[in-house]
Amino acid sequence: MEGTGLTRAANIHSVTDKSDGEEDYAPTNERLLFAGKNLWKPWQHARARVKASLFRLWGVLGTLGGFDWYCFGALGILTALMSFLMDLSVAKLLEAHRWLYVQLQGHLLLQFLCWSLYPTILCALSTTFSHSISPNSAGSGLPEVRTILSGLELPEYLTLSNLFAKLVGLTCTLAAGSVVFLGKVGPFVHLSTMVGAFLDRLSITFHGKKEFRARNRMLIASAAVAVASCFGAPVSGVLFSMEVMSVHFTVHDYCRCFLSAAFGALTFRLLAVWSREQETIQALFKTSFSTDLPYHPPEILVFILLGLLCGVWTCVFLYCHRWSLLFIRTNQAISKILATEKAAYSAMVAFLLALVTFPHGLGRFMASTLSMKQLLASFLHSQQWKPALQNVSVPLPPGAPESMWLEWSPSGTSVLFTLVVFLGMKLWLLVLAMTLPLPLGFFMPIFIYGAAIGRLVGEGLAYMFPNGIESGEIVRPINPGGYALAGAAAFSGAMTHTLSPALLVLEMTGQSTHAAPTLLAVLLANAVARSGRRPSLYDNVSLMKKLPHLPSLLRTQPDLSFIQLWQVWNSGEEAHDGRGGAAEMVLERDSGPAEVRQALSSSSEAQFPVVESYESAVLLGSVHRSELEKFLYSQTDESSGLELDILGQSLGNVCSIQPVTVQLSTQTTVQQAHSVMSILNIQLGFVTDSGKLSGVITWTELKKMIERLAKGEIKQNNG
């Protein structure tokens, strides 16, 4: 009885606190600091005017849109600001490295030390800093965000400390330059998601209570904003969010994603203008392809072959990537180093990469002195390299594109030979760099790698037809940049199993002349890469990390789609009494205060199932938690806090039992349950068999099921 009084008192106290908090909220520290009666408050009139002005401003802004919409706009602006400041910092660090390397010209040993130690120190610093602040900041972060967006909670990946560690660590990684050959798109999806999670919490605080909200709405927009803020491409950013990040993309999120992506892309390009990096807003990699006759009709066949080549080479690349991850995991020596000395591993790998790419060694056949932006710009240029280099005059003016082309023909070497060396060496160098335990991205490297494949095809075709391909009476030279454009989209699309790169290359180059052949190449590359249920690059990482991401598991193990809920419950911890571990939250129509109190204390869910009786288990509906709390309050004496035994007062007579509109069957598969709960945004589902309640499945239990599927603990059982 004493426990009853305490429980009621605690409930009354919590209700009182909540009411007070909504009217006059003040943090505990603030109440302690400003408890004096004669407290001196400086600038009272100025503060009052500012506060009144803010209220008037919000009165105007509130009529234009809700607070959520302003949060979506702020998400785009903040992410673009982070992207621009990071690019600016990385550019300064790369410029310092290049200046020091040039100043040491003539001193081969000193140049080698400068070339190798600079990225080695930066990679070691990135690893040490990220793991000391937040170990979850290492890696891409995109597979983890996909897992979160699928409905499973990983709160440790969305903290502000993780954001700070990833921001600084990624800056150091990118400052290592083309030596390590890594990008920022994946980590920026993670960074943008963390900003989105913070703004989502801010929005909840502004509304004053945790009202029902569609899960992950802000996080889905974060993925679109990340791409828009990296490339200034809002439309492809939204398409990327739909393809890669979302298990089920609702139309309700469409406008919000576009709003955030548009704000991010526009802010990113405006910052470039305000910093005098560009004179006006334009595409990130502006190209100038001919619009009269961009390609000849017979070249369509070459674009088809390019798409097939990118698809086949994608299978080779992903096989090497999977093999490297398995080798590192199974090799005891490397696993021990990664477990205890992550910074040492990063330093060793970075030094090896620098040794191979040293410009006075093998690196001169890979244009290793060019930055990643310069590599992509040189690939996308429409001019053929071989005839242009034959007519080049030295010295060249600063910023001339011919200066980049000279890097692809050292000492008169054929550009076809250097491109083949680049593709062959960068294959294993990039696979090795992807194993680094630091913040890193995959998309930009594979995008540039695909552009190199396309450039090789284009230069090879130009070598075979130096005067161009005849089409009627018109003869125009081959445009290798168009093939680099299609190759970049096809290879990156095949690696990620997406079509959005076909639109991305058009937005980031401002070139629409090659839209049709680029899309054709992307489709064919995806067809080859997806054949045989091969996983994508992000699926590889999810599977190796054993993340509970159900779509990744189903791509490699299609038999898992046939596993039913009863098989999972009868094969592990969820079995218990056949109710999915949630039997204690089931109430019957005639339940009294004791049963209701036990159900409330055993579960924190908002809905509780109600059956006719425990023996029949016929499901009548569900009752909300607030109804049960009111029922307990009505059954307690206010003066003594003792429980009253009122005749005829049971749950069915007092509480409103709502019908259950969505029910799951025991024969429902885990995949179907995941889809239903994701689309409808329901926190728990009632599992029935012939109208009888068999169990209750929550998101927590569903997460455990998928985790066991990822670990291989659950196999299909037809018995």
Side-chain angles (χ1 to χ4, degrees), residues 129-150:
F129 186 86
S130 58
H131 282 275
S132 60
I133 301 297
S134 177
N136 296 318
S137 62
S140 170
L142 193 148
E144 288 80 7
V145 174
R146 293 172 73 207
T147 304
I148 294 173
L149 291 177
S150 68

Side-chain angles (χ1 to χ4, degrees), residues 388-419:
L389 292 174
Q390 291 175 350
N391 301 324
V392 70
S393 58
V394 182
L396 295 171
E402 290 83 0
S403 61
M404 294 186 295
W405 303 343
L406 285 173
E407 298 294 332
W408 293 101
S409 182
S411 303
T413 307
S414 171
V415 294
L416 297 177
F417 175 77
T418 55
L419 284 171

